[in-house]
Amino acid sequence: MSRRIATRKGSRFSYAPRRLLQFDAVILPMIGFAVIIALWWAIATFFTTLMPTPWEALVANLDYILNPFYRRGPGDLGIGWLLLASLRRVLLGFGLGTLVAIPVGFWIGLSPRAMKAINPLVQIFKPVSPVAWLPIALAIFNLADPSAIFVIFITSLWPTLINTALGVASVPKDYLQVAEVLEMSQWRRMTKILWPASLPYIFTGLRISLGIAWLVIVAVEMLTGGIGIGFFVWDEWNRLNLSSVFLAVLVIGLTGLILDYLLARLQQWATHRPATTV
């Protein structure tokens, strides 16, 4: 009898943390979304005639939602194709930036002279707006697509480079002294000590860089045109079709969330540690 009572009490108390976790992970976000929807509905109803209500926007975008990959002509593509075109540019520019930023970051973190030489350049170019790089890119490439990729590359470069250099410079000196005592080669020192210790910093930089890249592509595509989610936003605004603009905003936000989630899972797999919030 006492065992049954203890089991019931234990199971009843075990539900408490689970309910609390469910409340924090599900109920609170739903409340936040409900507040945003209610605010949107109030603004559309009482303050403006141009903005659609959430229900009107949903009805107007049903074709885009149900058929995201349709092709009805050279310039009439579903929002899925537009999203893939933007993702291709972002991943190319971000990948090229990563290939440059990580080795240069290691070099800066290991060499005080390199730090003194390159750090002023980083501090000068890092705050430059992505839009300011676009005319330079267009002058170099004379094409919209490689220009957009170049702008993604140059703007996503700095967070990864800075965080990589910080991670390498933060490796405890004791580790390096032990490597010298053991007469480890430069390659083993790099792969066994510097790389594992710097990985959390590197992934933090990568996640910031990817977020910047996804943010920049929308602005760049608005200016360069062509196929992409950014130009879709600008084109629909010129048509005064705010319902599609709201759909694009939701798609852009969800895609950015998914990209960061995937990179965070990769960080957990590579570092065997929980991913920090960026």
Side-chain angles (χ1 to χ4, degrees):
M1 185 68 177
S2 59
R3 287 183 181 178
R4 290 182 181 177
I5 294 173
T7 304
R8 289 176 182 175
K9 287 183 178 180
S11 62
R12 185 174 61 187
F13 284 117
S14 66
Y15 286 137
R18 198 175 304 171
R19 288 176 180 174
L20 184 61
L21 181 62
Q22 185 179 17
F23 180 79
D24 290 342
V26 178
I27 304 300
L28 287 180
M30 289 178 63
I31 292 173
F33 279 113
V35 170
I36 293 297
I37 295 296
L39 184 62
W40 174 8
W41 209 306
I43 293 174
T45 303
F46 299 106
F47 295 99
T48 178
T49 56
L50 183 63
M51 185 180 295
T53 63
W55 177 252
E56 291 171 345
L58 177 63
V59 172
N61 288 310
L62 274 180
D63 188 32
Y64 282 120
I65 296 170
L66 298 178
N67 304 292
F69 292 100
Y70 70 76
R71 289 180 179 269
R72 296 170 186 166
D76 189 6
L77 301 175
I79 198 168
W81 295 116
L82 305 179
L83 180 63
L84 289 177
S86 297
L87 279 173
R88 182 186 65 84
R89 297 188 186 101
V90 166
L91 293 179
L92 279 173
F94 171 73
L96 291 173
T98 301
L99 290 177
V100 173
I102 292 179
V104 174
F106 265 88
W107 179 41
I108 295 174
L110 290 172
S111 172
R113 288 185 176 180
M115 173 69 77
K116 291 178 181 178
I118 297 178
N119 186 56
L121 299 177
V122 174
Q123 299 307 321
I124 290 172
F125 291 131
K126 180 167 63 76
V128 176
S129 170
V131 179
W133 289 107
L134 185 58
I136 300 173
L138 288 171
I140 295 172
F141 299 103
N142 203 27
L143 290 170
D145 202 49
S147 299
I149 294 171
F150 174 80
V151 173
I152 295 298
F153 162 77
I154 200 71
T155 52
S156 65
L157 189 69
W158 313 119
T160 302
L161 190 151
I162 293 170
N163 278 273
T164 301
L166 179 62
V168 173
S170 300
V171 175
K173 302 299 181 184
D174 295 343
Y175 294 178
L176 300 177
Q177 291 173 359
V178 170
E180 290 180 3
V181 170
L182 296 176
E183 297 182 353
M184 295 176 67
S185 65
Q186 191 68 26
W187 175 252
R188 285 184 59 83
R189 193 179 307 178
M190 184 78 68
T191 56
K192 299 298 183 181
I193 296 177
L194 294 174
W195 177 255
S198 305
L199 266 182
Y201 293 88
I202 294 172
F203 271 104
T204 299
L206 288 173
R207 291 173 66 185
I208 296 172
S209 292
L210 186 57
I212 292 174
W214 187 239
L215 183 72
V216 166
I217 192 61
V218 176
V220 170
E221 288 178 346
M222 283 183 178
L223 297 175
T224 58
I227 298 173
I229 195 72
F231 180 71
F232 175 79
V233 172
W234 189 246
D235 190 44
E236 293 302 309
W237 162 246
N238 287 330
R239 298 177 184 179
L240 297 181
N241 188 5
L242 275 182
S243 297
S244 297
V245 173
F246 277 111
L247 174 65
V249 168
L250 181 63
V251 169
I252 291 167
L254 288 176
T255 304
L257 180 66
I258 292 170
L259 289 174
D260 183 71
Y261 174 81
L262 293 176
L263 203 51
R265 298 287 75 78
L266 180 61
Q267 178 181 352
Q268 278 190 331
W269 174 81
T271 63
H272 306 288
R273 301 176 187 173
T276 56
T277 302
V278 176

